[in-house]
PDB file of all heavy atoms in Angstrom:
ATOM      1  N   ASN A 220     -22.512 -14.537  -4.428  1.00  0.00           N
ATOM      2  CA  ASN A 220     -22.748 -14.600  -2.992  1.00  0.00           C
ATOM      3  C   ASN A 220     -22.818 -16.055  -2.546  1.00  0.00           C
ATOM      4  O   ASN A 220     -23.826 -16.522  -2.021  1.00  0.00           O
ATOM      5  CB  ASN A 220     -24.035 -13.864  -2.629  1.00  0.00           C
ATOM      6  CG  ASN A 220     -24.118 -13.615  -1.134  1.00  0.00           C
ATOM      7  OD1 ASN A 220     -23.141 -13.778  -0.418  1.00  0.00           O
ATOM      8  ND2 ASN A 220     -25.288 -13.249  -0.669  1.00  0.00           N
ATOM      9  N   ASP A 221     -21.719 -16.765  -2.730  1.00  0.00           N
ATOM     10  CA  ASP A 221     -21.657 -18.146  -2.286  1.00  0.00           C
ATOM     11  C   ASP A 221     -20.507 -18.325  -1.304  1.00  0.00           C
ATOM     12  O   ASP A 221     -19.858 -17.363  -0.887  1.00  0.00           O
ATOM     13  CB  ASP A 221     -21.523 -19.096  -3.465  1.00  0.00           C
ATOM     14  CG  ASP A 221     -20.255 -18.902  -4.260  1.00  0.00           C
ATOM     15  OD1 ASP A 221     -19.405 -18.072  -3.855  1.00  0.00           O
ATOM     16  OD2 ASP A 221     -20.082 -19.595  -5.286  1.00  0.00           O
ATOM     17  N   ALA A 222     -20.252 -19.561  -0.923  1.00  0.00           N
ATOM     18  CA  ALA A 222     -19.218 -19.843   0.068  1.00  0.00           C
ATOM     19  C   ALA A 222     -17.832 -19.439  -0.430  1.00  0.00           C
ATOM     20  O   ALA A 222     -16.997 -18.982   0.365  1.00  0.00           O
ATOM     21  CB  ALA A 222     -19.236 -21.324   0.424  1.00  0.00           C
ATOM     22  N   ALA A 223     -17.558 -19.581  -1.711  1.00  0.00           N
ATOM     23  CA  ALA A 223     -16.248 -19.215  -2.265  1.00  0.00           C
ATOM     24  C   ALA A 223     -15.990 -17.715  -2.112  1.00  0.00           C
ATOM     25  O   ALA A 223     -14.891 -17.304  -1.741  1.00  0.00           O
ATOM     26  CB  ALA A 223     -16.148 -19.636  -3.730  1.00  0.00           C
ATOM     27  N   ARG A 224     -17.002 -16.889  -2.400  1.00  0.00           N
ATOM     28  CA  ARG A 224     -16.844 -15.447  -2.239  1.00  0.00           C
ATOM     29  C   ARG A 224     -16.644 -15.081  -0.763  1.00  0.00           C
ATOM     30  O   ARG A 224     -15.782 -14.282  -0.424  1.00  0.00           O
ATOM     31  CB  ARG A 224     -18.032 -14.670  -2.792  1.00  0.00           C
ATOM     32  CG  ARG A 224     -17.736 -13.145  -2.768  1.00  0.00           C
ATOM     33  CD  ARG A 224     -18.945 -12.251  -2.705  1.00  0.00           C
ATOM     34  NE  ARG A 224     -19.856 -12.510  -1.655  1.00  0.00           N
ATOM     35  CZ  ARG A 224     -19.784 -11.984  -0.414  1.00  0.00           C
ATOM     36  NH1 ARG A 224     -18.810 -11.212  -0.071  1.00  0.00           N
ATOM     37  NH2 ARG A 224     -20.706 -12.242   0.474  1.00  0.00           N
ATOM     38  N   ARG A 225     -17.428 -15.695   0.096  1.00  0.00           N
ATOM     39  CA  ARG A 225     -17.282 -15.401   1.525  1.00  0.00           C
ATOM     40  C   ARG A 225     -15.906 -15.828   2.029  1.00  0.00           C
ATOM     41  O   ARG A 225     -15.282 -15.118   2.819  1.00  0.00           O
ATOM     42  CB  ARG A 225     -18.404 -16.082   2.313  1.00  0.00           C
ATOM     43  CG  ARG A 225     -19.752 -15.373   2.115  1.00  0.00           C
ATOM     44  CD  ARG A 225     -20.820 -15.911   3.036  1.00  0.00           C
ATOM     45  NE  ARG A 225     -21.176 -17.314   2.769  1.00  0.00           N
ATOM     46  CZ  ARG A 225     -22.006 -17.713   1.806  1.00  0.00           C
ATOM     47  NH1 ARG A 225     -22.577 -16.807   1.022  1.00  0.00           N
ATOM     48  NH2 ARG A 225     -22.273 -18.981   1.650  1.00  0.00           N
ATOM     49  N   HIS A 226     -15.417 -16.949   1.552  1.00  0.00           N
ATOM     50  CA  HIS A 226     -14.072 -17.416   1.907  1.00  0.00           C
ATOM     51  C   HIS A 226     -13.024 -16.409   1.451  1.00  0.00           C
ATOM     52  O   HIS A 226     -12.118 -16.038   2.212  1.00  0.00           O
ATOM     53  CB  HIS A 226     -13.811 -18.781   1.299  1.00  0.00           C
ATOM     54  CG  HIS A 226     -12.420 -19.277   1.464  1.00  0.00           C
ATOM     55  ND1 HIS A 226     -11.892 -19.667   2.673  1.00  0.00           N
ATOM     56  CD2 HIS A 226     -11.421 -19.429   0.548  1.00  0.00           C
ATOM     57  CE1 HIS A 226     -10.636 -20.041   2.496  1.00  0.00           C
ATOM     58  NE2 HIS A 226     -10.330 -19.903   1.215  1.00  0.00           N
ATOM     59  N   LEU A 227     -13.116 -15.965   0.206  1.00  0.00           N
ATOM     60  CA  LEU A 227     -12.176 -14.978  -0.325  1.00  0.00           C
ATOM     61  C   LEU A 227     -12.225 -13.694   0.495  1.00  0.00           C
ATOM     62  O   LEU A 227     -11.188 -13.152   0.866  1.00  0.00           O
ATOM     63  CB  LEU A 227     -12.501 -14.681  -1.790  1.00  0.00           C
ATOM     64  CG  LEU A 227     -11.685 -13.591  -2.461  1.00  0.00           C
ATOM     65  CD1 LEU A 227     -10.250 -14.055  -2.679  1.00  0.00           C
ATOM     66  CD2 LEU A 227     -12.303 -13.185  -3.778  1.00  0.00           C
ATOM     67  N   GLU A 228     -13.421 -13.246   0.783  1.00  0.00           N
ATOM     68  CA  GLU A 228     -13.582 -12.013   1.548  1.00  0.00           C
ATOM     69  C   GLU A 228     -13.008 -12.137   2.949  1.00  0.00           C
ATOM     70  O   GLU A 228     -12.229 -11.291   3.393  1.00  0.00           O
ATOM     71  CB  GLU A 228     -15.067 -11.646   1.632  1.00  0.00           C
ATOM     72  CG  GLU A 228     -15.319 -10.388   2.388  1.00  0.00           C
ATOM     73  CD  GLU A 228     -16.148  -9.410   1.597  1.00  0.00           C
ATOM     74  OE1 GLU A 228     -16.321  -9.594   0.396  1.00  0.00           O
ATOM     75  OE2 GLU A 228     -16.593  -8.449   2.194  1.00  0.00           O
ATOM     76  N   GLU A 229     -13.370 -13.197   3.646  1.00  0.00           N
ATOM     77  CA  GLU A 229     -12.923 -13.362   5.032  1.00  0.00           C
ATOM     78  C   GLU A 229     -11.414 -13.608   5.143  1.00  0.00           C
ATOM     79  O   GLU A 229     -10.760 -13.082   6.036  1.00  0.00           O
ATOM     80  CB  GLU A 229     -13.681 -14.520   5.675  1.00  0.00           C
ATOM     81  CG  GLU A 229     -15.150 -14.211   5.898  1.00  0.00           C
ATOM     82  CD  GLU A 229     -15.954 -15.447   6.280  1.00  0.00           C
ATOM     83  OE1 GLU A 229     -15.366 -16.535   6.442  1.00  0.00           O
ATOM     84  OE2 GLU A 229     -17.188 -15.317   6.396  1.00  0.00           O
ATOM     85  N   ASP A 230     -10.892 -14.433   4.247  1.00  0.00           N
ATOM     86  CA  ASP A 230      -9.478 -14.821   4.360  1.00  0.00           C
ATOM     87  C   ASP A 230      -8.517 -13.825   3.758  1.00  0.00           C
ATOM     88  O   ASP A 230      -7.336 -13.808   4.142  1.00  0.00           O
ATOM     89  CB  ASP A 230      -9.259 -16.193   3.714  1.00  0.00           C
ATOM     90  CG  ASP A 230      -9.901 -17.313   4.500  1.00  0.00           C
ATOM     91  OD1 ASP A 230     -10.410 -17.045   5.603  1.00  0.00           O
ATOM     92  OD2 ASP A 230      -9.901 -18.465   4.023  1.00  0.00           O
ATOM     93  N   TYR A 231      -8.973 -13.001   2.818  1.00  0.00           N
ATOM     94  CA  TYR A 231      -8.033 -12.112   2.113  1.00  0.00           C
ATOM     95  C   TYR A 231      -8.464 -10.649   2.093  1.00  0.00           C
ATOM     96  O   TYR A 231      -7.703  -9.773   2.475  1.00  0.00           O
ATOM     97  CB  TYR A 231      -7.820 -12.598   0.675  1.00  0.00           C
ATOM     98  CG  TYR A 231      -7.254 -13.988   0.618  1.00  0.00           C
ATOM     99  CD1 TYR A 231      -8.079 -15.076   0.340  1.00  0.00           C
ATOM    100  CD2 TYR A 231      -5.906 -14.229   0.876  1.00  0.00           C
ATOM    101  CE1 TYR A 231      -7.566 -16.359   0.305  1.00  0.00           C
ATOM    102  CE2 TYR A 231      -5.384 -15.516   0.853  1.00  0.00           C
ATOM    103  CZ  TYR A 231      -6.228 -16.572   0.565  1.00  0.00           C
ATOM    104  OH  TYR A 231      -5.718 -17.836   0.541  1.00  0.00           O
ATOM    105  N   LEU A 232      -9.656 -10.395   1.627  1.00  0.00           N
ATOM    106  CA  LEU A 232     -10.038  -9.006   1.334  1.00  0.00           C
ATOM    107  C   LEU A 232     -10.253  -8.171   2.592  1.00  0.00           C
ATOM    108  O   LEU A 232      -9.874  -6.989   2.600  1.00  0.00           O
ATOM    109  CB  LEU A 232     -11.282  -8.987   0.451  1.00  0.00           C
ATOM    110  CG  LEU A 232     -11.105  -9.630  -0.925  1.00  0.00           C
ATOM    111  CD1 LEU A 232     -12.409  -9.560  -1.704  1.00  0.00           C
ATOM    112  CD2 LEU A 232      -9.965  -9.012  -1.689  1.00  0.00           C
ATOM    113  N   LEU A 233     -10.859  -8.737   3.617  1.00  0.00           N
ATOM    114  CA  LEU A 233     -11.140  -7.930   4.817  1.00  0.00           C
ATOM    115  C   LEU A 233      -9.859  -7.465   5.507  1.00  0.00           C
ATOM    116  O   LEU A 233      -9.820  -6.367   6.058  1.00  0.00           O
ATOM    117  CB  LEU A 233     -12.023  -8.709   5.793  1.00  0.00           C
ATOM    118  CG  LEU A 233     -13.459  -8.919   5.345  1.00  0.00           C
ATOM    119  CD1 LEU A 233     -14.233  -9.759   6.367  1.00  0.00           C
ATOM    120  CD2 LEU A 233     -14.176  -7.608   5.101  1.00  0.00           C
ATOM    121  N   SER A 234      -8.828  -8.265   5.477  1.00  0.00           N
ATOM    122  CA  SER A 234      -7.574  -7.873   6.120  1.00  0.00           C
ATOM    123  C   SER A 234      -6.696  -7.018   5.202  1.00  0.00           C
ATOM    124  O   SER A 234      -5.780  -6.345   5.674  1.00  0.00           O
ATOM    125  CB  SER A 234      -6.797  -9.103   6.582  1.00  0.00           C
ATOM    126  OG  SER A 234      -6.368  -9.861   5.469  1.00  0.00           O
ATOM    127  N   LEU A 235      -6.963  -7.049   3.909  1.00  0.00           N
ATOM    128  CA  LEU A 235      -6.128  -6.332   2.956  1.00  0.00           C
ATOM    129  C   LEU A 235      -6.230  -4.814   3.103  1.00  0.00           C
ATOM    130  O   LEU A 235      -5.210  -4.115   3.115  1.00  0.00           O
ATOM    131  CB  LEU A 235      -6.490  -6.743   1.527  1.00  0.00           C
ATOM    132  CG  LEU A 235      -5.668  -6.090   0.415  1.00  0.00           C
ATOM    133  CD1 LEU A 235      -4.206  -6.502   0.529  1.00  0.00           C
ATOM    134  CD2 LEU A 235      -6.234  -6.467  -0.938  1.00  0.00           C
ATOM    135  N   GLU A 236      -7.442  -4.302   3.222  1.00  0.00           N
ATOM    136  CA  GLU A 236      -7.604  -2.847   3.253  1.00  0.00           C
ATOM    137  C   GLU A 236      -6.894  -2.173   4.442  1.00  0.00           C
ATOM    138  O   GLU A 236      -6.157  -1.213   4.250  1.00  0.00           O
ATOM    139  CB  GLU A 236      -9.088  -2.467   3.210  1.00  0.00           C
ATOM    140  CG  GLU A 236      -9.274  -1.003   2.945  1.00  0.00           C
ATOM    141  CD  GLU A 236     -10.636  -0.662   2.379  1.00  0.00           C
ATOM    142  OE1 GLU A 236     -11.334  -1.559   1.849  1.00  0.00           O
ATOM    143  OE2 GLU A 236     -10.987   0.504   2.480  1.00  0.00           O
ATOM    144  N   PRO A 237      -7.057  -2.672   5.675  1.00  0.00           N
ATOM    145  CA  PRO A 237      -6.324  -2.015   6.770  1.00  0.00           C
ATOM    146  C   PRO A 237      -4.807  -2.137   6.611  1.00  0.00           C
ATOM    147  O   PRO A 237      -4.066  -1.193   6.934  1.00  0.00           O
ATOM    148  CB  PRO A 237      -6.792  -2.753   8.030  1.00  0.00           C
ATOM    149  CG  PRO A 237      -7.888  -3.649   7.650  1.00  0.00           C
ATOM    150  CD  PRO A 237      -7.965  -3.690   6.156  1.00  0.00           C
ATOM    151  N   ARG A 238      -4.341  -3.258   6.088  1.00  0.00           N
ATOM    152  CA  ARG A 238      -2.887  -3.402   5.864  1.00  0.00           C
ATOM    153  C   ARG A 238      -2.399  -2.441   4.809  1.00  0.00           C
ATOM    154  O   ARG A 238      -1.314  -1.853   4.917  1.00  0.00           O
ATOM    155  CB  ARG A 238      -2.566  -4.850   5.466  1.00  0.00           C
ATOM    156  CG  ARG A 238      -2.761  -5.807   6.615  1.00  0.00           C
ATOM    157  CD  ARG A 238      -2.329  -7.224   6.315  1.00  0.00           C
ATOM    158  NE  ARG A 238      -2.190  -7.547   4.927  1.00  0.00           N
ATOM    159  CZ  ARG A 238      -2.586  -8.697   4.377  1.00  0.00           C
ATOM    160  NH1 ARG A 238      -3.128  -9.630   5.121  1.00  0.00           N
ATOM    161  NH2 ARG A 238      -2.408  -8.918   3.104  1.00  0.00           N
ATOM    162  N   MET A 239      -3.195  -2.234   3.751  1.00  0.00           N
ATOM    163  CA  MET A 239      -2.828  -1.283   2.711  1.00  0.00           C
ATOM    164  C   MET A 239      -2.794   0.136   3.263  1.00  0.00           C
ATOM    165  O   MET A 239      -1.900   0.913   2.924  1.00  0.00           O
ATOM    166  CB  MET A 239      -3.789  -1.369   1.526  1.00  0.00           C
ATOM    167  CG  MET A 239      -3.640  -2.624   0.700  1.00  0.00           C
ATOM    168  SD  MET A 239      -2.026  -2.700  -0.108  1.00  0.00           S
ATOM    169  CE  MET A 239      -2.116  -1.301  -1.175  1.00  0.00           C
ATOM    170  N   HIS A 240      -3.746   0.491   4.118  1.00  0.00           N
ATOM    171  CA  HIS A 240      -3.756   1.827   4.698  1.00  0.00           C
ATOM    172  C   HIS A 240      -2.516   2.043   5.568  1.00  0.00           C
ATOM    173  O   HIS A 240      -1.912   3.122   5.536  1.00  0.00           O
ATOM    174  CB  HIS A 240      -5.026   2.073   5.489  1.00  0.00           C
ATOM    175  CG  HIS A 240      -6.234   2.303   4.630  1.00  0.00           C
ATOM    176  ND1 HIS A 240      -6.372   3.420   3.811  1.00  0.00           N
ATOM    177  CD2 HIS A 240      -7.353   1.563   4.436  1.00  0.00           C
ATOM    178  CE1 HIS A 240      -7.515   3.338   3.168  1.00  0.00           C
ATOM    179  NE2 HIS A 240      -8.133   2.229   3.520  1.00  0.00           N
ATOM    180  N   ARG A 241      -2.144   1.033   6.337  1.00  0.00           N
ATOM    181  CA  ARG A 241      -0.925   1.168   7.147  1.00  0.00           C
ATOM    182  C   ARG A 241       0.308   1.320   6.268  1.00  0.00           C
ATOM    183  O   ARG A 241       1.195   2.123   6.548  1.00  0.00           O
ATOM    184  CB  ARG A 241      -0.771  -0.035   8.076  1.00  0.00           C
ATOM    185  CG  ARG A 241      -1.720  -0.004   9.270  1.00  0.00           C
ATOM    186  CD  ARG A 241      -1.368  -1.040  10.327  1.00  0.00           C
ATOM    187  NE  ARG A 241      -1.338  -2.400   9.833  1.00  0.00           N
ATOM    188  CZ  ARG A 241      -2.384  -3.216   9.770  1.00  0.00           C
ATOM    189  NH1 ARG A 241      -3.563  -2.799  10.183  1.00  0.00           N
ATOM    190  NH2 ARG A 241      -2.257  -4.449   9.315  1.00  0.00           N
ATOM    191  N   ALA A 242       0.359   0.532   5.194  1.00  0.00           N
ATOM    192  CA  ALA A 242       1.503   0.633   4.273  1.00  0.00           C
ATOM    193  C   ALA A 242       1.555   2.013   3.619  1.00  0.00           C
ATOM    194  O   ALA A 242       2.623   2.623   3.518  1.00  0.00           O
ATOM    195  CB  ALA A 242       1.424  -0.453   3.200  1.00  0.00           C
ATOM    196  N   LEU A 243       0.409   2.519   3.181  1.00  0.00           N
ATOM    197  CA  LEU A 243       0.370   3.844   2.563  1.00  0.00           C
ATOM    198  C   LEU A 243       0.755   4.931   3.547  1.00  0.00           C
ATOM    199  O   LEU A 243       1.467   5.877   3.192  1.00  0.00           O
ATOM    200  CB  LEU A 243      -1.012   4.106   1.966  1.00  0.00           C
ATOM    201  CG  LEU A 243      -1.326   3.304   0.714  1.00  0.00           C
ATOM    202  CD1 LEU A 243      -2.813   3.358   0.394  1.00  0.00           C
ATOM    203  CD2 LEU A 243      -0.503   3.798  -0.465  1.00  0.00           C
ATOM    204  N   ASP A 244       0.305   4.815   4.791  1.00  0.00           N
ATOM    205  CA  ASP A 244       0.727   5.783   5.804  1.00  0.00           C
ATOM    206  C   ASP A 244       2.244   5.762   5.968  1.00  0.00           C
ATOM    207  O   ASP A 244       2.886   6.814   6.054  1.00  0.00           O
ATOM    208  CB  ASP A 244       0.069   5.475   7.151  1.00  0.00           C
ATOM    209  CG  ASP A 244      -1.408   5.814   7.191  1.00  0.00           C
ATOM    210  OD1 ASP A 244      -1.871   6.558   6.294  1.00  0.00           O
ATOM    211  OD2 ASP A 244      -2.107   5.314   8.102  1.00  0.00           O
ATOM    212  N   GLY A 245       2.826   4.576   6.000  1.00  0.00           N
ATOM    213  CA  GLY A 245       4.278   4.464   6.109  1.00  0.00           C
ATOM    214  C   GLY A 245       5.000   5.047   4.918  1.00  0.00           C
ATOM    215  O   GLY A 245       6.020   5.732   5.064  1.00  0.00           O
ATOM    216  N   ILE A 246       4.464   4.832   3.722  1.00  0.00           N
ATOM    217  CA  ILE A 246       5.070   5.383   2.513  1.00  0.00           C
ATOM    218  C   ILE A 246       5.039   6.909   2.554  1.00  0.00           C
ATOM    219  O   ILE A 246       6.037   7.575   2.244  1.00  0.00           O
ATOM    220  CB  ILE A 246       4.356   4.861   1.252  1.00  0.00           C
ATOM    221  CG1 ILE A 246       4.668   3.371   1.071  1.00  0.00           C
ATOM    222  CG2 ILE A 246       4.758   5.655   0.006  1.00  0.00           C
ATOM    223  CD1 ILE A 246       3.807   2.679   0.018  1.00  0.00           C
ATOM    224  N   HIS A 247       3.911   7.467   2.965  1.00  0.00           N
ATOM    225  CA  HIS A 247       3.798   8.937   3.026  1.00  0.00           C
ATOM    226  C   HIS A 247       4.746   9.518   4.080  1.00  0.00           C
ATOM    227  O   HIS A 247       5.382  10.551   3.838  1.00  0.00           O
ATOM    228  CB  HIS A 247       2.354   9.358   3.304  1.00  0.00           C
ATOM    229  CG  HIS A 247       1.430   9.068   2.173  1.00  0.00           C
ATOM    230  ND1 HIS A 247       1.592   9.590   0.912  1.00  0.00           N
ATOM    231  CD2 HIS A 247       0.313   8.293   2.097  1.00  0.00           C
ATOM    232  CE1 HIS A 247       0.625   9.161   0.125  1.00  0.00           C
ATOM    233  NE2 HIS A 247      -0.160   8.352   0.821  1.00  0.00           N
ATOM    234  N   ARG A 248       4.850   8.859   5.226  1.00  0.00           N
ATOM    235  CA  ARG A 248       5.774   9.330   6.263  1.00  0.00           C
ATOM    236  C   ARG A 248       7.224   9.245   5.783  1.00  0.00           C
ATOM    237  O   ARG A 248       8.016  10.168   6.001  1.00  0.00           O
ATOM    238  CB  ARG A 248       5.602   8.528   7.547  1.00  0.00           C
ATOM    239  CG  ARG A 248       4.380   8.926   8.347  1.00  0.00           C
ATOM    240  CD  ARG A 248       4.400   8.359   9.756  1.00  0.00           C
ATOM    241  NE  ARG A 248       4.680   6.938   9.810  1.00  0.00           N
ATOM    242  CZ  ARG A 248       3.776   5.959   9.800  1.00  0.00           C
ATOM    243  NH1 ARG A 248       2.493   6.277   9.739  1.00  0.00           N
ATOM    244  NH2 ARG A 248       4.136   4.703   9.883  1.00  0.00           N
ATOM    245  N   LEU A 249       7.553   8.149   5.097  1.00  0.00           N
ATOM    246  CA  LEU A 249       8.908   8.002   4.576  1.00  0.00           C
ATOM    247  C   LEU A 249       9.220   9.074   3.533  1.00  0.00           C
ATOM    248  O   LEU A 249      10.307   9.640   3.511  1.00  0.00           O
ATOM    249  CB  LEU A 249       9.104   6.612   3.980  1.00  0.00           C
ATOM    250  CG  LEU A 249      10.488   6.301   3.423  1.00  0.00           C
ATOM    251  CD1 LEU A 249      11.559   6.469   4.487  1.00  0.00           C
ATOM    252  CD2 LEU A 249      10.508   4.880   2.850  1.00  0.00           C
ATOM    253  N   GLN A 250       8.254   9.396   2.677  1.00  0.00           N
ATOM    254  CA  GLN A 250       8.450  10.456   1.678  1.00  0.00           C
ATOM    255  C   GLN A 250       8.731  11.782   2.368  1.00  0.00           C
ATOM    256  O   GLN A 250       9.613  12.533   1.944  1.00  0.00           O
ATOM    257  CB  GLN A 250       7.233  10.573   0.773  1.00  0.00           C
ATOM    258  CG  GLN A 250       7.375  11.642  -0.301  1.00  0.00           C
ATOM    259  CD  GLN A 250       8.461  11.310  -1.299  1.00  0.00           C
ATOM    260  OE1 GLN A 250       8.477  10.237  -1.876  1.00  0.00           O
ATOM    261  NE2 GLN A 250       9.387  12.238  -1.507  1.00  0.00           N
ATOM    262  N   GLU A 251       8.007  12.083   3.447  1.00  0.00           N
ATOM    263  CA  GLU A 251       8.232  13.315   4.188  1.00  0.00           C
ATOM    264  C   GLU A 251       9.654  13.342   4.793  1.00  0.00           C
ATOM    265  O   GLU A 251      10.337  14.368   4.731  1.00  0.00           O
ATOM    266  CB  GLU A 251       7.194  13.467   5.300  1.00  0.00           C
ATOM    267  CG  GLU A 251       5.799  13.747   4.804  1.00  0.00           C
ATOM    268  CD  GLU A 251       4.765  13.709   5.924  1.00  0.00           C
ATOM    269  OE1 GLU A 251       5.163  13.713   7.111  1.00  0.00           O
ATOM    270  OE2 GLU A 251       3.576  13.648   5.613  1.00  0.00           O
ATOM    271  N   ILE A 252      10.066  12.225   5.360  1.00  0.00           N
ATOM    272  CA  ILE A 252      11.401  12.136   5.969  1.00  0.00           C
ATOM    273  C   ILE A 252      12.486  12.305   4.908  1.00  0.00           C
ATOM    274  O   ILE A 252      13.451  13.036   5.106  1.00  0.00           O
ATOM    275  CB  ILE A 252      11.561  10.798   6.708  1.00  0.00           C
ATOM    276  CG1 ILE A 252      10.669  10.782   7.944  1.00  0.00           C
ATOM    277  CG2 ILE A 252      13.018  10.546   7.087  1.00  0.00           C
ATOM    278  CD1 ILE A 252      10.501   9.420   8.572  1.00  0.00           C
ATOM    279  N   LEU A 253      12.315  11.650   3.770  1.00  0.00           N
ATOM    280  CA  LEU A 253      13.317  11.743   2.707  1.00  0.00           C
ATOM    281  C   LEU A 253      13.382  13.167   2.137  1.00  0.00           C
ATOM    282  O   LEU A 253      14.470  13.682   1.861  1.00  0.00           O
ATOM    283  CB  LEU A 253      13.016  10.743   1.595  1.00  0.00           C
ATOM    284  CG  LEU A 253      13.186   9.264   1.969  1.00  0.00           C
ATOM    285  CD1 LEU A 253      12.673   8.372   0.848  1.00  0.00           C
ATOM    286  CD2 LEU A 253      14.641   8.950   2.283  1.00  0.00           C
ATOM    287  N   SER A 254      12.231  13.795   1.980  1.00  0.00           N
ATOM    288  CA  SER A 254      12.206  15.182   1.477  1.00  0.00           C
ATOM    289  C   SER A 254      12.873  16.119   2.465  1.00  0.00           C
ATOM    290  O   SER A 254      13.642  17.020   2.077  1.00  0.00           O
ATOM    291  CB  SER A 254      10.773  15.629   1.209  1.00  0.00           C
ATOM    292  OG  SER A 254      10.223  14.886   0.147  1.00  0.00           O
ATOM    293  N   LYS A 255      12.603  15.938   3.760  1.00  0.00           N
ATOM    294  CA  LYS A 255      13.230  16.772   4.778  1.00  0.00           C
ATOM    295  C   LYS A 255      14.740  16.562   4.789  1.00  0.00           C
ATOM    296  O   LYS A 255      15.507  17.529   4.857  1.00  0.00           O
ATOM    297  CB  LYS A 255      12.654  16.435   6.151  1.00  0.00           C
ATOM    298  CG  LYS A 255      13.241  17.266   7.264  1.00  0.00           C
ATOM    299  CD  LYS A 255      12.651  16.911   8.606  1.00  0.00           C
ATOM    300  CE  LYS A 255      13.315  17.731   9.690  1.00  0.00           C
ATOM    301  NZ  LYS A 255      12.886  17.324  11.026  1.00  0.00           N
ATOM    302  N   ALA A 256      15.188  15.323   4.681  1.00  0.00           N
ATOM    303  CA  ALA A 256      16.619  15.038   4.648  1.00  0.00           C
ATOM    304  C   ALA A 256      17.274  15.691   3.444  1.00  0.00           C
ATOM    305  O   ALA A 256      18.371  16.255   3.547  1.00  0.00           O
ATOM    306  CB  ALA A 256      16.855  13.534   4.629  1.00  0.00           C
ATOM    307  N   GLN A 257      16.617  15.660   2.306  1.00  0.00           N
ATOM    308  CA  GLN A 257      17.172  16.268   1.112  1.00  0.00           C
ATOM    309  C   GLN A 257      17.278  17.794   1.274  1.00  0.00           C
ATOM    310  O   GLN A 257      18.292  18.390   0.922  1.00  0.00           O
ATOM    311  CB  GLN A 257      16.330  15.935  -0.107  1.00  0.00           C
ATOM    312  CG  GLN A 257      16.982  16.396  -1.398  1.00  0.00           C
ATOM    313  CD  GLN A 257      16.218  15.920  -2.617  1.00  0.00           C
ATOM    314  OE1 GLN A 257      15.056  15.558  -2.530  1.00  0.00           O
ATOM    315  NE2 GLN A 257      16.874  15.917  -3.752  1.00  0.00           N
ATOM    316  N   ARG A 258      16.251  18.399   1.865  1.00  0.00           N
ATOM    317  CA  ARG A 258      16.300  19.846   2.105  1.00  0.00           C
ATOM    318  C   ARG A 258      17.437  20.203   3.061  1.00  0.00           C
ATOM    319  O   ARG A 258      18.171  21.167   2.842  1.00  0.00           O
ATOM    320  CB  ARG A 258      14.974  20.347   2.679  1.00  0.00           C
ATOM    321  CG  ARG A 258      13.860  20.469   1.676  1.00  0.00           C
ATOM    322  CD  ARG A 258      12.657  21.199   2.248  1.00  0.00           C
ATOM    323  NE  ARG A 258      12.141  20.619   3.470  1.00  0.00           N
ATOM    324  CZ  ARG A 258      11.243  19.635   3.537  1.00  0.00           C
ATOM    325  NH1 ARG A 258      10.771  19.123   2.409  1.00  0.00           N
ATOM    326  NH2 ARG A 258      10.817  19.179   4.690  1.00  0.00           N
TER     327      ARG A 258
END
């Protein structure tokens, strides 16, 4: 719990999770589209 951890958290980790969720949502939607196209 020092300045280095807070820097890592603020600059990288806090923004990572929402970006990962958006990417995963996109991956799941793309999988649905590809499966529908194949059917």
Side-chain angles (χ1 to χ4, degrees):
N220 194 13
D221 63 4
R224 187 205 54 87
R225 287 188 294 279
H226 173 70
L227 176 70
E228 181 127 347
E229 291 168 4
D230 290 354
Y231 300 102
L232 298 179
L233 290 178
S234 66
L235 181 64
E236 192 158 341
R238 290 186 342 221
M239 288 296 296
H240 285 294
R241 285 192 303 272
L243 288 165
D244 287 344
I246 290 169
H247 292 300
R248 283 193 310 268
L249 181 58
Q250 181 66 53
E251 290 173 14
I252 291 167
L253 292 172
S254 294
K255 181 180 178 186
Q257 188 173 19
R258 284 191 304 273

